[in-house]
């Protein structure tokens, strides 16, 4: 069974601060996806990283896939209240199934 | 274009009662997924359909859970009988095919009392 651990589980910061969320596994994934989920809604895909060492930027969000394709990070610069939500990483295994991490609940305070 | 539609959005039942959830995927999406999400956790796959065929149901508790996608379009997930531990959000997702981007519905929040 492939497991993904996310840290921290909870994060509360002030608007304007920077933060990093981590997603770690002992397994290798063919790709890794990051989602954001708001209360009462399903997860929405933010980005997919495929190549080891790959870095993708989405406005103030920077995603990195580890060289060994076992871990990933999400960095948010100058967080805004609209960034509040549950951030989920998900790894795609050899059978193309997704394994989700446990999530990081981010709260950005005004 | 409409997204993934799920109903009901909320359901409260007593333990040992049956319950059913319905999902209509995005038009043209051949792959449909049912996930279970506990509070503050990531979704866990219950079953995946390719058209009308269940291709991955290894995580579906088959003693009480069942699912169907008879015509390869909409799908129903049933629990009978429900237990207290089944309280969770049941998410449906669809994609063009396995490995393609998954689009999630808003989920059905089930409370078993």
């Amino acid at each position: 069974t492939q497991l993904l651990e996310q840290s921290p589980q909870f994060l509360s910061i002030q608007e304007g601060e920077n933060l990093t969320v981590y997603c770690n596994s002992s397994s290798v994934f063919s790709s890794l996806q990051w989602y954001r989920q708001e209360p009462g809604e399903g997860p929405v895909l933010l980005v997919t990283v495929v190549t080891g060492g790959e870095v993708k930027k989405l406005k103030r969000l920077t995603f990195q896939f580890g060289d060994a394709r076992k871990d990933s990070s999400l960095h948010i610069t100058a967080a805004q209240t609209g960034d509040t939500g549950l951030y989920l990483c998900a790894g795609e295994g050899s059978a193309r199934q997704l394994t989700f991490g446990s999530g990081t609940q981010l709260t950005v305070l005004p | 274009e409409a997204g993934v539609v799920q109903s009901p959005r909320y359901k409260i039942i007593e333990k040992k009662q049956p319950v059913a959830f319905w999902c209509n995927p995005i038009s043209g999406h051949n792959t449909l997924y049912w996930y279970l999400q506990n509070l503050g956790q990531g979704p866990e796959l219950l079953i995946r359909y390719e058209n009308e065929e269940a291709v991955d149901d290894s995580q579906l508790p088959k003693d009480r859970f069942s699912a169907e996608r008879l015509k390869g379009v909409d799908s129903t997930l049933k629990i009978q009988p429900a237990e207290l531990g089944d309280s969770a959000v049941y998410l449906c997702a669809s994609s063009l095919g396995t490995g393609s981007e998954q689009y999630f519905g808003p989920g059905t929040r089930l409370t078993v009392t």
Side-chain angles (χ1 to χ4, degrees), chain A residues 20 34 47 55-64 73-77:
Chain A
T20 303
W34 284 92
V47 77
V55 177
K56 280 192 174 179
K57 292 191 175 184
L58 185 65
K59 296 184 180 179
R60 295 175 293 100
L61 279 61
T62 302
F63 306 85
Q64 184 164 7
S73 64
L74 158 60
H75 182 80
I76 301 179
T77 302

Side-chain angles (χ1 to χ4, degrees), chain B residues 6-8 11 13 17-23 32 34-36 46-47 49 59-70 74-83 86 90 108 110 112:
Chain B
Q6 290 188 248
S7 68
K11 189 73 175 179
I13 61 171
Q17 294 302 305
V19 65
F21 315 122
W22 178 78
C23 172
L32 184 146
W34 283 103
Y35 289 89
L36 177 153
L46 291 173
I47 189 168
Y49 281 93
Q59 301 303 312
L60 189 72
K62 298 181 182 63
D63 56 335
R64 298 184 300 107
F65 286 65
S66 64
E68 60 184 18
R69 194 186 184 198
L70 295 176
D74 58 338
S75 176
T76 302
L77 177 69
K78 298 178 182 178
I79 307 175
Q80 182 171 10
E83 296 179 352
D86 296 331
Y90 291 83
T108 296
L110 173 67
V112 182

Side-chain angles (χ1 to χ4, degrees), chain B residues 20-65:
Chain B
F21 315 122
W22 178 78
C23 172
N24 195 28
I26 292 173
S27 177
H29 281 194
N30 297 321
T31 308
L32 184 146
Y33 312 77
W34 283 103
Y35 289 89
L36 177 153
Q37 185 175 26
N38 288 304
L39 185 65
Q41 299 293 315
E44 301 170 33
L45 181 67
L46 291 173
I47 189 168
R48 172 169 62 95
Y49 281 93
E50 294 289 349
N51 298 304
E52 66 275 7
E53 182 182 358
V55 295
D56 184 357
D57 63 355
S58 57
Q59 301 303 312
L60 189 72
K62 298 181 182 63
D63 56 335
R64 298 184 300 107
F65 286 65

Side-chain angles (χ1 to χ4, degrees), chain A residues 9 35 37 40-43 45 86 88 92 95-98 100-103, chain B residues 9 35 37 40-43 45 48 56 91 98-102 104-106:
Chain A
Q9 186 177 358
Y35 292 80
Q37 185 176 20
E41 300 295 330
L45 180 66
L86 179 67
L88 296 159
E92 183 180 15
R96 312 197 80 177
Q97 81 287 1
L98 283 183
F100 281 85
S102 50
Chain B
R9 292 294 310 275
Y35 289 89
Q37 185 175 26
Q41 299 293 315
L45 181 67
R48 172 169 62 95
D56 184 357
L91 292 166
T98 299
S100 299
E101 179 178 350
Q102 295 185 30
F104 285 82

